[in-house]
């Protein structure tokens, strides 16, 4: 078993930026892409706020560019999921896909975060038949139809706007009486002719014969104006936040209550030689550019650690 100098787990902006920096530093990094090669950006339509793309770029194209750049400098990029780790001593041991064990002198965790669901039984019942957590993946199937998006933040607004470009009508189901999104995203949603924002609404369940045909909602739950509402829809999209993909590391790596890995301002975890970057360690910003920045810092720190 050959010893890897720098193992990077995850292939979003953080992981691939770390790979670029680690490669140029001569660390010969090995990257395992995980469940979603390219990370969450592959589910994003247009990226307008990443420096260097004045006309914007699709998330898929941007991640392809980063992938090529990392490979150009010699990063070894493989498909595989980390299913078990042993960070009790160096070299660290990581098991890929439950069978392949590898050893590494340093590890950069960049596993990102996964979409949250409401927890309704109907979400599983209609999975793949009207329920989705990725508008850019599945929006094409709902062209000229009516859909609903759940959530009130930037992600929900972006999903709603993307679907509005394809669908006849989009309902945005918002639990609170205000949107939490940035002002520019709020303005775009509220000015979109075919988006109807349903404030103070919560989803009770979905209806339909084999596929989603409607949603049962409650407006003003727990108030004196509580009422049941039914909307006819063809698709139901979740955009209510994310869960950091940190469970496999928790026996050794400290996390906060939500599961985000705790790091210092140099991306160091509580285990010397193990770093975390990107959304798995960022409950606040969750932007491609901030993820890339933390990936660079993690790689630089890994290099310094190996030289010390």
């Amino acid at each position: 078993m050959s010893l890897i100098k720098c193992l990077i787990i995850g292939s979003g902006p953080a992981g691939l930026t770390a790979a670029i920096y680690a490669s140029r530093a001569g660390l010969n990094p090995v990257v395992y892409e995980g469940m979603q090669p390219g990370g969450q950006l592959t589910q994003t339509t247009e990226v307008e706020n990443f420096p260097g793309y004045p006309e914007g770029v699709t998330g898929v194209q941007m991640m392809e560019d980063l992938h090529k750049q990392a490979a150009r400098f010699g990063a070894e990029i493989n498909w595989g999921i980390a299913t078990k780790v042993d960070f009790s001593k160096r070299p660290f041991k990581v098991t890929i896909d439950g069978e392949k064990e590898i050893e590494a002198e340093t590890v950069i965790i960049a596993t990102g975060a996964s979409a949250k669901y409401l927890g309704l039984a109907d979400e599983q019942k209609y999975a793949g038949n009207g329920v989705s957590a990725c508008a850019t993946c599945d929006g094409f199937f709902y062209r000229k139809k009516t859909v609903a998006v759940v959530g009130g933040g930037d992600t929900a607004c972006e999903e709603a706007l993307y679907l509005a470009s394809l669908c006849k009508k989009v309902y945005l189901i918002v639990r609170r009486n205000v949107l939490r999104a940035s002002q520019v995203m709020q303005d775009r949603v509220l000015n979109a002719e075919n988006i109807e924002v349903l404030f103070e609404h919560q989803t009770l369940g979905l209806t339909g014969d084999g596929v989603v045909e409607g949603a049962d909602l409650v407006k003003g739950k727990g108030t004196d104006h509580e009422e049941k509402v039914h909307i006819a829809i063809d698709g139901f999209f979740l955009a209510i936040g994310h869960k950091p993909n940190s469970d496999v590391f928790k026996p050794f790596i400290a996390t906060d209550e939500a599961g985000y890995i705790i790091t210092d301002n140099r991306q160091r975890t509580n285990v010397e030689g193990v770093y975390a970057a990107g959304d798995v360690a960022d409950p606040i910003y969750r932007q491609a550019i901030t993820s890339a920045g933390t990936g660079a810092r993690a790689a630089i720190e890994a290099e310094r650690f190996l030289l010390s």
Side-chain angles (χ1 to χ4, degrees):
M1 181 188 305
S2 60
L3 182 61
I4 297 169
K5 286 185 179 180
C6 181
L7 173 65
I8 300 169
I9 306 173
S11 59
L16 291 180
T17 301
I20 292 168
Y21 273 74
S23 296
R24 295 184 75 251
L27 301 186
N28 302 313
V30 175
V31 180
Y32 277 91
E33 293 188 304
M35 295 180 64
Q36 190 175 41
Q40 294 178 70
L41 269 191
T42 58
Q43 298 180 353
T44 300
T45 47
E46 196 76 11
V47 179
E48 298 177 321
N49 55 3
F50 197 94
Y53 294 98
E55 303 301 322
V57 63
T58 67
V60 171
Q61 183 60 56
M62 180 177 156
M63 296 319 300
E64 287 181 359
D65 290 346
L66 285 176
H67 188 285
K68 290 176 183 176
Q69 192 172 358
R72 174 195 166 202
F73 291 116
E76 178 185 328
I77 303 174
N78 306 303
W79 192 91
I81 300 170
T83 52
K84 182 181 178 182
V85 302
D86 182 357
F87 292 160
S88 60
K89 61 181 180 180
R90 295 179 62 222
F92 304 118
K93 293 181 173 64
V94 177
T95 302
I96 302 296
D97 297 329
E99 53 186 34
K100 180 182 180 181
E101 186 177 272
I102 55 182
E103 294 186 343
E105 294 184 61
T106 62
V107 176
I108 297 174
I109 301 169
T111 45
S114 298
K116 288 183 179 179
Y117 286 78
L118 294 172
L120 302 173
D122 290 338
E123 289 171 321
Q124 297 302 317
K125 177 181 178 181
Y126 294 105
N129 292 294
V131 171
S132 172
C134 178
T136 53
C137 304
D138 303 321
F140 176 81
F141 301 109
Y142 300 92
R143 292 178 69 89
K144 299 182 180 180
K145 296 184 178 182
T146 299
V147 300
V149 176
V150 181
D154 278 322
T155 298
C157 288
E158 182 178 354
E159 302 268 272
L161 288 164
Y162 171 69
L163 290 167
S165 70
L166 300 171
C167 302
K168 178 175 65 176
K169 179 164 185 172
V170 178
Y171 291 103
L172 182 58
I173 303 170
V174 182
R175 181 172 57 87
R176 301 167 63 185
N177 61 358
V178 294
L179 291 170
R180 294 180 291 104
S182 59
Q183 192 60 53
V184 64
M185 295 301 287
Q186 290 189 45
D187 292 342
R188 290 178 183 177
V189 165
L190 296 174
N191 290 327
E193 292 183 0
N194 61 336
I195 297 179
E196 181 178 347
V197 182
L198 302 177
F199 289 111
E200 290 189 274
H201 282 67
Q202 296 182 51
T203 307
L204 298 175
L206 303 172
T207 61
D209 184 12
V211 297
V212 170
E213 297 174 351
D216 290 323
L217 314 175
V218 58
K219 179 181 180 182
K221 184 177 181 180
T223 69
D224 56 5
H225 59 272
E226 178 179 319
E227 64 175 301
K228 299 290 179 62
V229 178
H230 179 83
I231 56 174
I233 56 172
D234 303 291
F236 186 78
F237 291 84
L238 282 302
I240 54 173
H242 294 82
K243 177 185 181 297
N245 299 321
S246 61
D247 287 353
V248 70
F249 309 109
K250 286 183 177 179
F252 302 94
I253 300 298
T255 66
D256 65 13
E257 292 181 357
Y260 288 95
I261 292 176
I262 298 170
T263 67
D264 64 10
N265 60 5
R266 291 162 63 179
Q267 307 310 132
R268 298 179 298 189
T269 70
N270 59 297
V271 176
E272 192 176 30
V274 178
Y275 308 87
D279 286 8
V280 73
D282 180 10
I284 300 173
Y285 300 106
R286 297 192 297 270
Q287 300 294 307
I289 187 64
T290 53
S291 290
T294 57
R297 296 198 321 192
I300 291 170
E301 289 298 326
E303 179 192 9
R304 290 174 176 173
F305 176 78
L306 291 171
L307 292 173
S308 63

